[in-house]
Amino acid sequence: MPLVNLFGSKGRLVLSTLLICAVIFELAYCQKDAQEQRTSPERKVSKPKLGKATNKGPQAVTAKPKVKAIPAAQTQTFLTQVLSRGKFAKVGETISVHAGDTLELRCRGKPVQWGVPSYLEEDDDGRLEIVQHERYGVLTLVNTTGADTGEYTCYPMYCEDRDCRKEYDKAVKVFVFFPDPQELFVPSSDYYEVIQLRTNWPTVLPCQVTSPEAKVTLHREFPPVEVAVDGTEISFNVRKGFTIQRPRPYHAGALYCVASLGNLRQSSTKYMLIYVNYPMAPPAPVIQASTSSAAVGENLRVSCTVVGEQDVAIEITWEYPGLQIGRPLYTQDSVSPVGGGRQQTQSVLLVDEVRDVDQGTYTCTAENLQGAKSASTTVKVVPKTKAKKP
């Protein structure tokens, strides 16, 4: 009798159940084994790729060292303004913060340094706080006033060990206005400020306003007239003031600025402009001796000549061999026009009755406001020739 009939229907049910469990167990084991092959590096087998032979030798199989690349975001410097908790705004060239409000700037970098207006550098009254966090620096200025108006700069730092320096080419700047309903100009302790006008050098009259909305004009005190601002000869920048591009003598005098905003009108500090005919370059002296070989007892003349811009003062000084023994300095100095808006300055060194000690190098140095240059020549002293008897 078959074995199934011995157990009846109950036996068949038990055998079917055991068979199904065995199949499920086998499937689970195979799935686990396949998963281990995928995750375990020891079980991964790969065949070597065949390719063209190279002559690189060991370099073809030597593993390259891993270089930790710095993400681009870490090398860039960003400047943002903290508007409120968790709310930020990327700054442009200028921003405005009402006087009395708090200025909070955040600069991404590790580490960074800050540049602030000179007024705050001298004395911030404890209102300025700078904190360096792990990935950014924070500048906070409380109880702000119109006097805080100016340029704020974040400098990323390049560090090697403990030696750090500012990366000026990566600096981020923002000009911050602090509009004050009572002060249209940044306050100054000086009633008069002397400014030197240099020929061909742009000159700035720093009429700095606290609000970019203020209208600013330039005025002359005597005679009392408004100075024309054409954008070419004289220009205006709300962050700098007025700039005289190419100063001339007629620009000299007492000038001041007037700002108006709404019903408020105020005058700035007065600027005393003094014109100085500033040279374009240091002088180029030319030296020449009356003779390169002087006999004892003869008179020697050494001239030093400079041709330069008209009305530019040039000072000429001398060094000569006789100076060592106390021989006095005798010169003839002159200044004369040579045409084309230029002039000649000349100094002639006089050496009477040459002696042996006068042999050597003669040097003249010409100096103006741009610098100094020298020129030299050598003179030889020979014995006096005796007259032949008739």
Side-chain angles (χ1 to χ4, degrees):
M1 183 180 291
L3 182 61
V4 175
N5 294 333
L6 293 174
F7 292 94
S9 60
K10 292 184 178 180
R12 288 194 296 271
L13 182 60
V14 172
L15 289 175
S16 298
T17 303
L18 291 175
L19 182 60
I20 292 173
C21 290
V23 173
I24 294 174
F25 180 80
E26 182 66 18
L27 289 174
Y29 180 81
C30 292
Q31 185 175 4
K32 180 180 179 182
D33 185 66
Q35 184 177 4
E36 289 178 355
Q37 289 184 2
R38 288 195 301 268
T39 58
S40 176
E42 289 78 11
R43 294 190 180 187
K44 185 177 181 180
V45 179
S46 60
K47 294 182 180 180
K49 296 181 181 180
L50 298 178
K52 295 183 180 180
T54 63
N55 57 358
K56 292 184 179 180
Q59 295 180 356
V61 296
T62 303
K64 295 183 179 180
K66 294 183 179 180
V67 179
K68 185 178 181 181
I70 300 177
Q74 293 185 9
T75 61
Q76 297 178 357
T77 303
F78 297 98
L79 191 59
T80 57
Q81 180 187 5
V82 182
L83 301 178
S84 60
R85 186 176 182 86
K87 188 177 180 181
F88 308 92
K90 190 174 181 180
V91 302
E93 293 183 353
T94 65
I95 60 175
S96 292
V97 177
H98 290 291
D101 291 350
T102 297
L103 170 68
E104 186 173 349
L105 297 175
R106 178 178 291 190
C107 183
R108 186 172 183 176
K110 179 184 178 181
V112 298
Q113 280 194 5
W114 294 87
V116 298
S118 56
Y119 166 77
L120 288 174
E121 290 181 351
E122 296 172 359
D123 185 13
D124 58 25
D125 297 327
R127 300 181 297 116
L128 178 65
E129 181 183 24
I130 295 176
V131 178
Q132 178 66 48
H133 295 277
E134 183 178 358
R135 294 184 180 180
Y136 59 90
V138 178
L139 179 148
T140 305
L141 182 64
V142 299
N143 299 327
T144 58
T145 67
D148 300 324
T149 298
E151 191 172 70
Y152 293 74
T153 308
C154 173
Y155 299 96
M157 304 295 290
Y158 176 78
C159 298
E160 293 180 354
D161 296 331
R162 296 185 178 180
D163 183 20
C164 296
R165 65 177 182 271
K166 295 179 181 177
E167 294 188 280
Y168 290 92
D169 57 333
K170 297 181 180 179
V172 184
K173 302 179 180 180
V174 60
F175 195 96
V176 184
F177 292 96
F178 293 92
D180 189 331
Q182 304 299 325
E183 293 286 350
L184 294 182
F185 287 104
V186 174
S188 174
S189 58
D190 299 325
Y191 183 71
Y192 276 100
E193 182 176 341
V194 178
I195 297 179
Q196 189 179 85
L197 296 173
R198 297 182 178 184
T199 309
N200 301 320
W201 283 58
T203 301
V204 177
L205 280 65
C207 303
Q208 183 58 66
V209 290
T210 62
S211 172
E213 305 299 327
K215 181 182 178 181
V216 187
T217 53
L218 183 62
H219 298 258
R220 182 177 295 277
E221 190 171 27
F222 302 108
V225 294
E226 180 177 343
V227 179
V229 178
D230 57 3
T232 302
E233 183 178 359
I234 301 178
S235 60
F236 176 73
N237 185 308
V238 71
R239 291 174 290 173
K240 295 181 179 179
F242 291 96
T243 301
I244 303 176
Q245 302 296 340
R246 296 174 63 87
R248 293 293 182 263
Y250 59 81
H251 290 131
L255 279 75
Y256 63 96
C257 304
V258 174
S260 57
L261 182 61
N263 296 326
L264 185 61
R265 179 182 172 92
Q266 292 181 344
S267 298
S268 71
T269 296
K270 289 184 172 59
Y271 302 100
M272 298 299 298
L273 306 185
I274 301 175
Y275 180 78
V276 177
N277 200 352
Y278 210 80
M280 296 291 293
V286 176
I287 192 170
Q288 184 176 7
S290 57
T291 178
S292 60
S293 180
V296 173
E298 293 182 350
N299 295 332
L300 175 67
R301 303 288 183 271
V302 185
S303 64
C304 182
T305 305
V306 178
V307 177
E309 296 100 329
Q310 195 169 0
D311 299 327
V312 173
I314 296 176
E315 181 181 3
I316 297 178
T317 56
W318 287 93
E319 294 181 11
Y320 53 97
L323 187 63
Q324 300 178 1
I325 63 168
R327 177 187 277 271
L329 174 67
Y330 295 104
T331 60
Q332 291 179 345
D333 301 328
S334 62
V335 178
S336 58
V338 293
R342 300 175 70 80
Q343 70 182 17
Q344 174 180 285
T345 303
Q346 187 177 63
S347 177
V348 180
L349 176 64
L350 308 176
V351 183
D352 295 333
E353 297 182 356
V354 170
R355 293 177 286 174
D356 292 338
V357 293
D358 296 317
Q359 176 174 289
T361 301
Y362 290 75
T363 302
C364 72
T365 300
E367 183 177 6
N368 62 16
L369 293 175
Q370 277 281 33
K373 287 188 177 180
S374 300
S376 300
T377 188
T378 301
V379 175
K380 183 179 180 181
V381 177
V382 298
K384 186 177 181 180
T385 303
K386 295 182 179 181
K388 295 183 180 179
K389 294 181 180 182

